[in-house]
Amino acid sequence: MPQELNKQAVFEYLNSWSGFEKSISEEGEAYKVILSSGNKRVVTTTPFEVGEFFLDFTVDDRPYYSDWYEIMEDPLSEFIAYTWQVADNFLSNSTRVVSRGWWVFKTHELQFKSNGTWSNVFNTKT
C-alpha cells in the first residue's frame, strides 16, 4: 500500500464523503461512519491502522446484510472511494438479497437495481 495507513489519513477521507446524512464517531481504536438515506443505513467500521472495513446494511433499523473486506495493495484513496461507492449503490437504489449456490455451498449476495439490471453492490459502476 503506497500511502501510509494512519488515523488522520483515514479520518480525512471519511470526512470527505458527501451526498448522504453522515455521522463519524471514534469507538475504541476504530472509526464508525453512518451514512443514511430514507429508511436505509450503512454503518462502516474501520480500525485506524489495520485496513479492514466492516459494513452493516440496515433497512427500517433492522439488520439486512453484513460483510467485510480489507485493503490489499490498493492506495488508501482508491479503497475509501470504493467503500463510498458500495454505500452509494445500496443507499441510492432498490436492493435485494439473493441466494446463490446449493446446499452447504449456498451464499447470499446483496444486489442493487440500476437501469433495470440487478448487480452486486460490491461491483463498481462502469
Side-chain angles (χ1 to χ4, degrees), residues 54-69:
F54 300 89
L55 293 102
D56 294 305
F57 301 86
T58 64
V59 176
D60 295 326
D61 293 324
R62 301 178 114 174
Y64 192 67
Y65 190 85
S66 293
D67 210 338
W68 74 278
Y69 45 82

Side-chain angles (χ1 to χ4, degrees), residues 5-7 10 14 27-32 44-54 69 71 76:
L5 182 65
N6 63 56
K7 182 178 178 180
V10 171
L14 295 174
E27 298 198 4
E29 295 295 314
Y31 284 118
K32 179 178 179 180
T44 304
T45 306
T46 181
F48 301 139
E49 298 177 9
V50 178
E52 294 176 332
F53 289 73
F54 300 89
Y69 45 82
I71 297 174
L76 179 60

Side-chain angles (χ1 to χ4, degrees), residues 16-83:
S16 72
W17 285 353
S18 63
F20 302 105
E21 291 181 40
K22 173 180 67 178
S23 71
I24 300 174
S25 60
E26 223 176 282
E27 298 198 4
E29 295 295 314
Y31 284 118
K32 179 178 179 180
V33 182
I34 300 172
L35 297 175
S36 303
S37 179
N39 66 337
K40 293 180 176 179
R41 180 170 43 178
V42 178
V43 178
T44 304
T45 306
T46 181
F48 301 139
E49 298 177 9
V50 178
E52 294 176 332
F53 289 73
F54 300 89
L55 293 102
D56 294 305
F57 301 86
T58 64
V59 176
D60 295 326
D61 293 324
R62 301 178 114 174
Y64 192 67
Y65 190 85
S66 293
D67 210 338
W68 74 278
Y69 45 82
E70 62 183 314
I71 297 174
M72 300 306 275
E73 297 299 321
D74 297 322
L76 179 60
S77 61
E78 289 180 20
F79 207 76
I80 294 286
Y82 168 75
T83 302

